[in-house]
Amino acid sequence: MKIAIDGTAASGKGTLARSLAKELGYDYLDTGLLYRSVALQAKEHGIIDLNISDKKIAIARSKIRKLINIAHLLTLPLLDKPDLRSQETSLLAAKIANLPEIRDILLEKQRLFANKPTSGLGVVLDGRDIGTIVLPDAEFKFFIDAKPEIRAKRRFAELKKSDSEVLEQTLLDEINKRDAEDWTRRIAPLKRLPNAFFIDSSSLNADEVLQIALNYING
Ligand code: DC
């Protein structure tokens, strides 16, 4: 059994995917972590910016070659850690998500994971292109969204515990920017498929979203 969960940044799709997997005893993969892991390792290799339209084509090519190596060597499952969630890593991950060479390598890894769940039961994957590209054959597809202001508020509540300087308006600006990038990406953009079950989590808590999803799955 395959469950695909797509949605906007900070919509609660990750929380839903993790709790659904736990509830059903399925394997879980946060596919954003793959892009973030490539970005973090790229940073460690000195790749900070990724100006592909750089006039210095040779430099751009050598950067992409390094990224391809990093992507090939990535092994699942990946461990989440704070460095993967930093602002710098997020920005680089968004740029890396635009590179077809990297998407192809990560696509294969996501499909391998989905086809061999260690639980032997099923998988839940969350991301931006799961229902459209990674698992078009998924038995259940979800699309999760919430108003940008609500998503910024939730992220603010989460972040202010560790960062007292963070501003809600900055988070809202970032969310709007990431939405624009996700919806308009040339390759594998975020898409709300007509056959994906839509949940607007704006006025719902995590338990309510989980119950709605479980009700849908259980018919
Ligand atoms: O979901 P996230 O914020 O952790 O994702 C990190 C980046 O990777 C973000 O720029 C969107 C991109 N991404 C993607 O292009 N396709 C996916 N399946 C998952 C994430």
Side-chain angles (χ1 to χ4, degrees), residues 6 9 13 30-33 35-36 85 90 93-95 97-98 103 110 126-130 134 155 178 181-182 185 187-188:
D6 291 302
K13 64 183 185 315
D30 168 356
T31 64
L33 269 193
Y35 294 91
R36 289 176 179 275
R85 304 274 166 197
S90 303
K95 294 222 170 101
N98 263 316
R103 290 205 82 90
Q110 292 167 70
D126 81 275
R128 307 293 192 290
D129 60 343
I130 310 303
V134 182
R155 190 140 274 184
R178 291 186 63 191
E181 281 170 356
D182 284 332
R185 193 178 17 253
I187 335 146

Side-chain angles (χ1 to χ4, degrees), residues 11-31:
S11 58
K13 64 183 185 315
T15 305
L16 170 64
R18 208 173 304 111
S19 52
L20 255 188
K22 196 167 168 215
E23 192 72 25
L24 301 169
Y26 289 6
D27 293 35
Y28 166 56
L29 181 63
D30 168 356
T31 64

